[in-house]
Amino acid sequence: MAVKEDRYKLVRYSPWLLHFNTGACNGCDIEVLAAITPLYDPERFGIKLAPSVRHGDILIVTGAVTKKAAERLKRLYEQMPCPKFVVAVGACAISGGVFAKSYSVVGGVDKVIPVDVYIPGCPPRPEAILDGIVKLLKMIEEGRAVSKCEHKG
Amino acid sequence: MSTKAEVLSKLAIRTEVVKPKRIVFVIRPEDLRKVFEELIKTFGPESFYLSTIVGVDLPAENKMRLDYYVHFIPEGETVVIRTFIDRSNPVIDSIIDIVPGALAGECETFDLLGIVFRGNPYLKRGFFVPVDLVQKGIHPLRKDSGV
């Protein structure tokens, strides 16, 4: 059932992002960084960068998840306070992309942690990344995105 | 003052040119330490740095190729010191005591190809390779590793 939860209010008004590279070629990272420049002005949506994962609301993951990075990704996710949301940026973060069958790769981000929004592209444009995050905020507002935290509150 | 080519040619078996400013000096594996000692003695320890060590598995020739990419800072010039070692017994002398920057390159090459750098105490499996492959004893960059 779609529930509008008050505890999501802070995330809705000013989501703090944390960017994590799990094995990307840097293409998506550059686009994520471009998306947070004044040219695209993400602060009009209240979007800011979090100084630490413990302050983060939205985790942006780029790149195919390698077996080594998977442990770190899980640990980062567990350190985030609830409510928390995950955005997978780029073809590799969605499914592993061209690296899917590699011996060192687990696959997409959703093999390790729950993902709320997928942004396809190789790499996606900064507009697409911002659009994805704004869509996530809209989903939160309408109660369609519910944080999959184990501990409520 | 002698030039790089003069110093390196003395110990090289042959030289190849991949492209301008990228001369390859092929040396004997037992001369590796001597080459780096000579470079330090002639040009000083701060005139160059070892940018990377590249290992290649050549099963057809039963050999492994090691390329040491050495960058000379004042000239902005890179030379390659190349050597071939036996594939069935891939052992070569470590240079971390004279060139400490070789640590990452040697550890990586050991993990991915199984080349043992004699005298490097920091070699361990699982430096880059995932745990499941380490447990199976697989060196992923060997052509017959099956991954």
Side-chain angles (χ1 to χ4, degrees):
Chain A
M1 201 182 81
V3 199
K4 211 167 160 180
E5 285 198 58
D6 250 14
R7 65 201 182 92
Y8 291 175
K9 215 179 197 170
L10 269 175
V11 183
R12 233 161 52 218
Y13 290 150
S14 180
W16 283 27
L17 308 181
L18 197 102
H19 169 210
F20 184 55
N21 176 343
T22 53
C25 67
N26 247 266
C28 292
D29 302 295
I30 288 168
E31 301 301 310
V32 169
L33 290 186
I36 55 168
T37 54
L39 180 63
Y40 296 98
D41 192 17
E43 286 217 25
R44 66 198 145 126
F45 308 115
I47 296 170
K48 285 179 164 194
L49 278 190
S52 145
V53 73
R54 288 166 192 268
H55 298 160
D57 301 308
I58 299 176
L59 182 64
I60 298 181
V61 187
T62 54
V65 182
T66 62
K67 286 174 183 168
K68 290 245 175 190
E71 301 163 24
R72 276 81 181 169
L73 178 61
K74 198 151 197 302
R75 216 182 294 159
L76 274 186
Y77 184 73
E78 282 164 359
Q79 284 182 46
M80 282 173 79
C82 278
K84 52 192 167 188
F85 301 92
V86 178
V87 179
V89 172
C92 298
I94 292 172
S95 66
V98 290
F99 306 106
K101 294 276 170 67
S102 169
Y103 69 88
S104 57
V105 166
V106 178
V109 176
D110 50 10
K111 289 254 173 73
V112 186
I113 55 173
V115 177
D116 297 280
V117 172
Y118 299 87
I119 302 170
C122 185
R125 287 198 54 83
E127 293 95 327
I129 295 170
L130 276 184
D131 186 43
I133 297 168
V134 171
K135 281 205 169 94
L136 172 65
L137 297 181
K138 195 133 190 282
M139 282 161 67
I140 297 169
E141 175 132 31
E142 292 167 359
R144 284 187 289 133
V146 179
S147 180
K148 295 154 195 81
C149 302
E150 281 167 33
H151 312 287
K152 289 271 172 189
Chain B
M1 195 178 165
S2 49
T3 63
K4 285 183 290 295
E6 281 168 23
V7 172
L8 289 165
S9 302
K10 272 191 287 182
L11 290 159
I13 308 167
R14 61 174 192 278
T15 59
E16 293 160 17
V17 177
V18 181
K19 57 181 183 184
K21 288 200 170 186
R22 183 66 57 85
I23 310 169
V24 180
F25 295 93
V26 184
I27 61 158
R28 281 182 217 88
E30 56 269 25
D31 287 341
L32 182 74
R33 285 180 65 88
K34 218 184 283 172
V35 168
F36 279 96
E37 276 162 6
E38 200 65 32
L39 283 178
I40 292 171
K41 208 172 78 191
T42 322
F43 303 109
E46 279 167 22
S47 64
F48 72 91
Y49 75 95
L50 181 67
S51 42
T52 187
I53 302 172
V54 179
V56 182
D57 187 23
L58 305 166
E61 300 157 44
N62 195 29
K63 273 178 184 163
M64 283 196 188
R65 195 180 80 197
L66 274 174
D67 290 347
Y68 290 72
Y69 283 74
V70 179
H71 188 76
F72 288 87
I73 300 156
E75 298 89 346
E77 214 175 290
T78 304
V79 300
V80 183
I81 294 164
R82 175 171 291 176
T83 187
F84 293 89
I85 56 175
D86 188 13
R87 189 172 186 271
S88 43
N89 180 28
V91 178
I92 192 161
D93 285 329
S94 169
I95 55 165
I96 56 163
D97 51 333
I98 46 176
V99 185
L103 173 71
E106 289 189 356
C107 288
E108 180 193 15
T109 314
F110 170 74
D111 204 13
L112 295 173
L113 275 162
I115 295 174
V116 177
F117 293 86
R118 210 186 292 124
N120 183 337
Y122 305 104
L123 297 180
K124 63 165 175 129
R125 288 309 312 274
F127 188 67
F128 283 127
V129 177
V131 181
D132 52 336
L133 288 184
V134 172
Q135 279 162 353
K136 284 186 226 160
I138 291 173
H139 298 285
L141 280 196
R142 289 200 183 185
K143 304 287 184 202
D144 55 4
S145 65
V147 292

